[in-house]
């Protein structure tokens, strides 16, 4: 058996191959069936001629519709008209699983494609996105490994709320209430006292009620935390990691990028250092561009778009006002109204892919901010303990994997960066 990608080559011309796959397109004229076969690696045209295969097999070839699974044997031949320039001339057509009339045809509504997600994920675009995503994550894992980080497994069921409490998913946990994790951050912080440099890849959950093209209720989060690291060094880690992830896609996914109409040359530029822009400068820039914002305004999708649309590499926005960010960030001694933090925005209008900061080490400040937030300190005693036994300066960040996929694949909507998007309106299929 050969992979379709490998069958599409001069080396195989004149040789007999066996391929296994699913019918992607098919038409017949007279005594010949032209079927395009798809496997996980690509598509190839198969011609089945009456007389070249047993009659019963030819009969099967004429009735096998889109998505029927088949095993084909035949000789590879060059044919300029065929997709990829080669075809297989079948000597055997084995029907394995006949498909009923496939419910997805060429032009379908977004809603129908979401209802039929379990079938739509077979599409070539979805397949390409899945491969790019895997290459991004692999590139990230390798970068972490090469730089001395240890992968760890924080819990998903938790009692803490690192981010916005209005987006917590609550669950019944035996006889008490627990939450689905919004971020592994606090647990990663606890692990730096032994491992120093850690990262985790986990699902994170946010009950985001607004429907936006960049929010999921369940997303994959790549987070890291390191001891002895300040916010500037934290940004260096981010730019090193992001460029390694993107370069791995360029190296491994040229076919997929072509299919997604993403020019690999535009991704090759993602090399450190990335620009840094203070929150204050971002405000000035936005005002010049006609946005109605002032110091203290949050940056939403619209503002981030203006900040990045004319850029071709990512940019850090640094030192946000405290009221815009969570309680755990380190106060900026140079401007106490702000934190030592950064968001990394992807270029070309895509916006935030990472949120990171140096962490507050002063328990009094943390307690004060938790109280302001209305949090019960009971759930945070363990977190406060971390500052009592050998506290160290430390920093970390969280990267939204579907966000980086959306940007790298140039997707219009984040739902296409994950096989089964979970949004306010959908848990099926
Ligand atoms: O809320 S974040 O900005 N930051 C944190 O959760 C920190 N506690 C992470 C850390 O320092 N360990 O989220 C981090 C990233 C953000 O930049 C997005 O890329 C992504 O997580 N994110 C999301 N992606 C998809 N959907 C939703 N709803 C979402 N929320 C955050």
């Amino acid at each position: 058996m050969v992979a379709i990608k490998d069958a599409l080559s001069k080396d195989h011309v004149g040789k007999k191959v066996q391929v296994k796959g699913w019918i992607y397109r098919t038409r017949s004229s007279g005594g010949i069936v032209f079927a395009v076969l798809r496997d996980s690696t690509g598509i190839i045209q198969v011609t089945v001629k009456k007389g070249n295969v047993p009659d019963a097999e030819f009969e099967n070839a004429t009735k096998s519709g889109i998505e029927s699974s088949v095993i084909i044997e035949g000789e590879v031949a060059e044919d300029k008209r065929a997709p990829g320039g080669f075809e297989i001339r079948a000597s055997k057509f084995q029907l394995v699983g006949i498909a009923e009339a496939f419910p997805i045809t060429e032009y379908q509504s977004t809603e129908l494609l979401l209802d039929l997600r379990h079938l739509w994920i077979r599409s070539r675009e979805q397949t390409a996105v899945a491969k790019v995503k895997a290459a991004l994550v692999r590139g990230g894992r390798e970068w972490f490994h090469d730089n001395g980080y240890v992968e760890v497994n924080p819990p998903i069921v938790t009692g803490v709320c690192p981010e916005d409490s209005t987006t917590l998913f609550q669950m019944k946990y035996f006889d008490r209430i627990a939450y689905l994790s919004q971020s592994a951050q606090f647990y990663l912080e606890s692990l730096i006292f032994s491992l120093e440099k850690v990262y985790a890849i986990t699902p994170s959950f946010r009950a985001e009620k607004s429907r936006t093209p960049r929010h999921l209720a369940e997303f994959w989060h790549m987070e890291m935390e390191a001891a002895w690291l300040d916010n500037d060094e934290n940004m260096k880690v981010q730019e090193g990691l992001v460029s390694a992830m993107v370069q791995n896609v360029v190296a491994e996914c040229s076919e997929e990028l072509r299919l997604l109409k993403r020019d690999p040359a535009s991704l090759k530029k993602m090399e450190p250092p990335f620009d840094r822009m203070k929150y204050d400068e971002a405000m000035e820039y936005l005002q010049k561009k006609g946005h109605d914002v002032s110091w203290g305004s949050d940056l939403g999708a619209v503002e981030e778009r203006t900040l990045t649309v004319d850029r071709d590499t990512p940019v850090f926005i640094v030192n946000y006002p405290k009221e815009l960010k969570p309680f755990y960030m380190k106060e900026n001694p140079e401007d106490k109204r702000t934190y030592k933090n950064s968001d990394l925005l992807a270029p070309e209008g895509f916006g935030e892919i990472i949120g990171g900061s140096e962490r507050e080490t002063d328990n009094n400040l943390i307690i004060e901010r938790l109280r302001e937030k209305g949090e019960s300190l009971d759930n945070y005693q363990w977190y406060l303990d971390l500052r009592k036994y050998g506290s160290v300066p430390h920093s970390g960040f969280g990267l939204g994997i579907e966000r980086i996929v959306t940007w790298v694949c140039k997707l219009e909507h984040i739902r296409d960066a994950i096989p089964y998007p979970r949004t306010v309106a959908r848990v099926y299929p």
Side-chain angles (χ1 to χ4, degrees):
M1 179 182 145
V2 298
I4 284 177
K5 168 170 71 76
D6 299 330
L8 291 166
S9 104
K10 278 205 161 37
D11 299 347
H12 278 103
V13 170
K15 294 196 185 125
K16 195 167 168 185
V17 296
Q18 184 196 59
V19 292
K20 297 181 179 177
W22 291 262
I23 292 182
Y24 179 67
R25 275 198 298 264
T26 182
R27 70 189 165 85
S28 54
S29 75
I32 185 158
V33 174
F34 297 94
V36 176
L37 204 68
R38 156 183 84 70
D39 73 1
S40 65
T41 68
I43 56 172
I44 193 166
Q45 177 168 291
V46 174
T47 52
V48 192
K49 241 190 198 153
K50 197 173 167 71
N52 286 358
V53 296
D55 283 352
E57 291 184 15
F58 184 75
E59 190 59 23
N60 277 343
T62 57
K63 69 172 198 218
S64 297
I66 287 174
E67 291 305 319
S68 298
S69 49
V70 296
I71 300 174
I72 305 288
E73 280 175 25
E75 217 178 86
V76 178
E78 234 174 323
D79 186 334
K80 296 247 154 6
R81 294 159 301 176
F86 298 90
E87 66 169 15
I88 298 174
R89 299 189 175 147
S91 50
K92 183 171 171 194
F93 183 100
Q94 184 188 339
L95 176 59
V96 179
I98 186 117
E100 294 178 19
F102 200 59
I104 301 175
T105 52
E106 205 159 349
Y107 300 103
Q108 300 288 4
S109 73
T110 307
E111 274 311 295
L112 185 96
L113 292 179
L114 284 167
D115 285 339
L116 297 175
R117 193 70 171 185
H118 51 297
L119 302 175
W120 178 237
I121 49 170
R122 300 181 185 190
S123 68
R124 298 193 77 207
E125 294 76 11
Q126 286 278 300
T127 307
V129 171
K131 288 186 184 177
V132 169
K133 188 177 196 176
L136 282 168
V137 172
R138 198 163 46 246
R141 274 210 166 89
E142 273 162 23
W143 188 90
F144 277 127
H145 177 72
D146 291 346
N147 287 277
Y149 286 78
V150 178
E151 182 164 4
V152 294
N153 301 126
I156 304 301
V157 176
T158 164
V160 291
C161 173
E163 304 300 323
D164 178 0
S165 59
T166 65
T167 69
L168 271 181
F169 274 110
Q170 234 184 48
M171 61 181 283
K172 195 172 163 301
Y173 186 72
F174 301 106
D175 52 1
R176 70 189 101 170
I177 294 294
Y179 310 116
L180 291 177
S181 171
Q182 292 178 317
S183 159
Q185 179 187 323
F186 298 164
Y187 298 97
L188 297 186
E189 284 187 61
S190 72
L191 285 155
I192 60 159
F193 297 91
S194 50
L195 295 164
E196 294 192 32
K197 294 157 92 175
V198 295
Y199 77 100
I201 299 174
T202 60
S204 281
F205 300 86
R206 312 241 172 138
E208 309 272 5
K209 293 186 190 76
S210 52
R211 297 166 197 233
T212 83
R214 56 183 211 162
H215 286 96
L216 293 164
E218 178 184 46
F219 67 96
W220 283 82
H221 212 164
M222 182 183 269
E223 293 178 273
M224 85 89 194
E225 198 70 30
W228 316 111
L229 203 73
D230 69 17
N231 197 50
D232 285 331
E233 293 160 329
N234 194 29
M235 288 191 275
K236 290 196 179 121
V237 174
Q238 293 169 53
E239 58 197 7
L241 173 71
V242 167
S243 48
M245 293 170 80
V246 172
Q247 296 312 333
N248 196 48
V249 172
V250 174
E252 293 186 357
C253 295
S254 54
E255 277 301 305
E256 288 74 19
L257 292 175
R258 185 164 341 136
L259 199 135
L260 294 163
K261 302 193 173 56
R262 162 58 97 176
D263 178 9
S266 69
L267 295 176
K268 266 204 128 118
K269 290 186 207 145
M270 303 315 148
E271 290 288 356
F274 300 155
D275 284 350
R276 282 131 170 87
M277 187 193 259
K278 286 248 164 77
Y279 169 87
D280 303 38
E281 296 167 57
M283 280 299 130
E284 277 171 34
Y285 183 85
L286 287 167
Q287 284 162 352
K288 261 191 229 136
K289 290 278 178 181
H291 285 258
D292 181 19
V293 290
S294 54
W295 202 91
S297 299
D298 205 356
L299 302 181
V302 180
E303 292 78 20
E304 289 183 3
R305 190 181 153 72
T306 302
L307 289 169
T308 60
V309 74
D310 296 325
R311 291 179 172 270
D312 56 9
T313 54
V315 57
F316 288 105
I317 309 294
V318 193
N319 300 138
Y320 283 69
K322 284 177 174 169
E323 54 270 30
L324 298 179
K325 293 291 174 186
F327 70 92
Y328 54 72
M329 295 186 177
K330 176 101 182 155
E331 190 172 86
N332 177 14
E334 285 162 24
D335 178 354
K336 288 187 188 294
R337 299 174 306 161
T338 66
Y339 282 136
K340 288 179 84 178
N341 81 310
S342 63
D343 279 359
L344 181 64
L345 312 187
E348 305 164 328
F350 282 92
E352 183 184 340
I353 53 173
I354 294 184
S357 67
E358 193 168 325
R359 314 309 191 185
E360 186 56 72
T361 45
D362 181 338
N363 263 354
N364 291 327
L365 286 178
I366 295 180
I367 291 169
E368 200 179 295
R369 294 178 198 157
L370 277 172
R371 287 216 171 102
E372 273 168 27
K373 204 177 144 181
E375 287 281 321
S376 147
L377 292 185
D378 293 352
N379 290 338
Y380 291 86
Q381 288 308 329
W382 70 269
Y383 186 64
L384 298 168
D385 271 355
L386 305 180
R387 273 79 178 155
K388 293 185 195 162
Y389 305 100
S391 181
V392 287
H394 63 287
S395 300
F397 61 83
L399 176 156
I401 294 178
E402 288 76 19
R403 291 272 181 97
I404 194 171
V405 170
T406 302
W407 160 50
V408 167
C409 295
K410 281 190 136 177
L411 304 177
E412 273 173 23
H413 201 295
I414 196 167
R415 65 177 163 238
D416 286 325
I418 190 160
Y420 291 97
R422 295 294 177 238
T423 58
V424 63
R426 188 167 285 279
V427 280
Y428 176 93

